[in-house]
């Protein structure tokens, strides 16, 4: 059996991509037990019927384990792919010429290529670079006309059918949401998925458009939007995008193709720092433990990559092919959890309480800020085992998350949607319970029962509680320090 660190002990959240390697009930259960907080549903490679079963299974597992687990519906976005090529691929040599056309026909010459985006030939200009097969093949446009764009190969390699095409700094006419994305979005809203991933974000209007469509759908569930930063345009307009989105993903796969790969580490650190400053949860993704798709152990560089993402300030780190199609999905999650566990003691606590989860709408009151800061200070000085926060919208719990305190945070809420949102916040363990609306004494009793049942506290431990005397009013006005008693509470 794989060894893993108990999930409650790690504060950086783990995102795992669902795929054939882990999508059975038993496989999903093993991943949740090993530490997965959020499952990524990749619409580029999965059908709705399969995803419906996965969602039902995970929700049942989460209920059985008494552990909130969220979902990220990752919309495919306007990904451009090559058309059909010979079964054994097409080897392109340096300085050879190939021409992109709107659509190949049966009698098209072998040097003609097409794509899933017929308008590609309209958007390409002379000297534009065309990157194929994850950037391993590079062409440059040397000539265009009304129906074609001729390129010369600058970096040779093998091309295969349906491989991705990246166009750094090319302004595409494609909308941010395709017809397929809209169908997938409707499914996600119907199934009350907590997070919607928007791929290939170029400017803040892309996020506003998605939000308008969610609002116009009539769905009572309002998911959080995850802006995937993977285009140079998004990096250039980062501040504007951060003003609109709920969550950010540093999507290093396409980002590393679209921009000079040497810039990616610095861009990653800049994005994470900006998100931390603005209290926007941030996920670092792509190839974190990539070699574990085939190997039982990661490389030293991969282990350092995960650790550095934690030290940079990531709220969550994500696995893609490692869990979706890899040979060792459970072992990979266990390894990521171990690396996080070893790294988190080095995370430096911050001293100023940010405004909250949604800095535009749900800002923390000054009373809440004062009470919460006092509670964190007391918990750290006294060596408390738990800091419990009652929260309706998630504002207070998310703000506490940003302080990166070494004290584990228990967020008590009566709203399952709030619990889902907090699944991506560093250091916060959400629990859905009506006890949060009761008196401080009732809240204390619930925390003691829950903590003992989950092995989080034992007799003699101190717990610090942030609560309110009036659940119907915003803000927190109670800080309580209690010792866990022997026996059971009533």
């Amino acid at each position: 059996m794989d060894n893993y660190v108990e999930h409650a002990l790690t504060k950086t959240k783990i995102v795992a991509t669902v795929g054939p390697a882990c999508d059975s009930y038993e496989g999903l259960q093993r991943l949740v037990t090993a530490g997965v907080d959020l499952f990524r549903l990749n619409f580029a490679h999965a059908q709705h019927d399969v995803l419906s079963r996965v969602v039902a299974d995970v929700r049942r597992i989460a209920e059985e384990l008494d552990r909130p687990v969220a979902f990220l519906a990752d919309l495919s976005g306007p990904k451009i792919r090559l058309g059909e090529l010979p079964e054994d691929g097409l080897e392109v040599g340096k300085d050879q010429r190939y021409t992109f056309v709107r659509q190949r026909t049966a009698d098209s010459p072998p040097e003609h290529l097409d794509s899933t985006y017929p308008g590609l030939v309209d958007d390409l200009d002379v000297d534009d670079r065309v990157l194929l097969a994850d950037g391993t093949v590079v062409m440059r446009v040397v000539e265009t006309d009304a129906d074609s764009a001729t390129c010369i190969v600058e970096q040779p390699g093998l091309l295969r059918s349906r491989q991705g095409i990246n166009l750094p700094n090319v302004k595409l006419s494609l909308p941010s949401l395709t017809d397929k994305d809209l169908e997938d979005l409707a499914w996600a809203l119907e199934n009350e998925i907590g997070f919607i991933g928007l791929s290939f974000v170029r400017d803040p209007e892309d996020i506003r458009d998605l939000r308008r469509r969610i609002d116009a759908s009539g769905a009572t569930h309002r998911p959080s939007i995850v802006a995937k930063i993977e285009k140079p345009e998004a990096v250039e307009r980062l501040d504007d995008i951060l003003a609109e989105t709920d969550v950010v993903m540093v999507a290093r796969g396409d980002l590393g193709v679209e921009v000079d790969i040497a810039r990616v580490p610095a861009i990653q650190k800049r994005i994470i720092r900006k998100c931390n400053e603005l209290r926007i949860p941030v996920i670092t993704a792509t190839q974190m433990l990539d070699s574990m798709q085939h190997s039982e152990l990661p490389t030293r560089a991969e282990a350092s990559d995960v650790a550095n993402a934690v030290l940079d300030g990531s709220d969550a780190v994500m696995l893609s092919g490692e869990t979706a199609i890899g040979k060792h999905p459970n072992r990979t999650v266990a390894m990521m959890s171990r690396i996080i566990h070893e790294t988190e003691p080095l995370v430096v606590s911050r001293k100023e309480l940010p405004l909250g989860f949604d800095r535009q709408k749900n800002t923390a009151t000054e009373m809440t800020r004062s009470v919460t800061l006092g509670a964190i200070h007391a918990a750290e000085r006294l060596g408390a085992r738990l800091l419990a926060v009652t929260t309706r919208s998630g504002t207070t719990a998310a703000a506490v998350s940003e302080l990166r305190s070494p004290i584990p945070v228990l967020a008590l809420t009566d709203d399952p949607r709030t619990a889902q949102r907090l699944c991506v916040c560093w250091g916060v363990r959400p629990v859905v319970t009506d006890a949060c609306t009761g008196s401080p004494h009732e809240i204390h009793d619930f925390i003691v029962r829950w903590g003992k049942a989950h092995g989080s506290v034992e007799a003699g431990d101190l717990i610090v509680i942030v609560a309110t005397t009036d659940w119907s009013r915003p803000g927190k006005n109670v800080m309580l320090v209690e010792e866990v008693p022997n026996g059971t509470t009533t």
Side-chain angles (χ1 to χ4, degrees), residues 313-332:
S314 300
D315 287 87
V317 286
M318 192 177 94
L319 298 166
S320 299
E322 300 97 327
T323 52
I325 58 174
K327 293 182 178 180
H328 314 287
N330 188 46
R331 186 179 291 273
T332 304

Side-chain angles (χ1 to χ4, degrees), residues 300-424:
R300 277 68 170 170
E302 288 169 341
S304 294
D305 183 39
V306 174
N308 279 315
V310 173
L311 294 173
D312 284 346
S314 300
D315 287 87
V317 286
M318 192 177 94
L319 298 166
S320 299
E322 300 97 327
T323 52
I325 58 174
K327 293 182 178 180
H328 314 287
N330 188 46
R331 186 179 291 273
T332 304
V333 173
M335 176 58 67
M336 180 167 271
S337 185
R338 287 175 57 198
I339 296 167
I340 292 169
H341 180 69
E342 292 295 331
T343 305
E344 283 179 341
L346 303 177
V347 173
V348 178
S349 298
R350 300 175 185 131
K351 300 304 179 186
E352 293 186 7
L353 188 68
L355 293 180
F357 191 98
D358 187 334
R359 61 215 176 281
Q360 295 175 336
K361 298 176 184 177
N362 296 321
T363 57
T365 66
E366 190 58 41
M367 181 179 294
T368 298
R369 290 166 62 92
S370 300
V371 170
T372 305
L373 279 171
I376 295 169
H377 181 70
E380 293 182 359
R381 285 291 298 269
L382 296 171
R385 282 291 299 275
L386 276 180
L387 171 62
V389 179
T390 61
T391 183
R392 180 185 292 105
S393 66
T395 298
T396 305
V400 171
S401 165
E402 179 54 25
L403 292 179
R404 299 300 197 260
S405 172
I407 309 300
V409 178
L410 194 67
L412 307 182
T413 180
D414 60 349
D415 189 342
R417 293 169 296 184
T418 295
Q420 293 288 306
R421 294 173 71 199
L422 292 172
C423 281
V424 78

Side-chain angles (χ1 to χ4, degrees), residues 244-322:
E244 296 292 338
T245 192
D246 302 306
V247 183
V248 162
M249 180 188 293
V250 187
R252 303 180 304 179
D254 279 286
L255 181 63
V257 177
E258 293 270 350
V259 304
D260 182 351
I261 195 167
R263 295 180 59 207
V264 172
I267 291 173
Q268 170 181 320
K269 290 179 182 296
R270 176 190 165 205
I271 294 171
I272 293 172
R273 184 177 67 251
K274 285 271 189 179
C275 289
N276 289 168
E277 290 171 355
L278 295 172
R279 188 46 258 146
I280 300 172
V282 56
I283 304 166
T284 300
T286 315
Q287 295 182 331
M288 303 217 74
L289 297 175
D290 193 56
S291 68
M292 290 193 74
Q293 288 194 52
H294 309 289
S295 172
E296 293 190 3
L297 288 172
T299 66
R300 277 68 170 170
E302 288 169 341
S304 294
D305 183 39
V306 174
N308 279 315
V310 173
L311 294 173
D312 284 346
S314 300
D315 287 87
V317 286
M318 192 177 94
L319 298 166
S320 299
E322 300 97 327

Side-chain angles (χ1 to χ4, degrees), residues 154-197:
E154 293 188 339
Q155 183 170 301
L158 179 66
L159 299 179
R160 296 190 182 277
S161 299
R162 310 292 293 177
Q163 284 182 320
I165 300 175
N166 292 86
L167 306 164
N169 300 313
V170 175
K171 305 298 183 183
L172 296 175
S173 303
L174 280 167
S176 62
L177 293 169
T178 66
D179 290 342
K180 180 182 185 307
D181 291 333
L182 296 178
E183 293 175 3
D184 294 335
L185 175 62
W187 179 91
L189 293 174
E190 180 182 349
N191 286 271
E192 298 189 349
I193 301 302
F195 298 88
I196 305 294

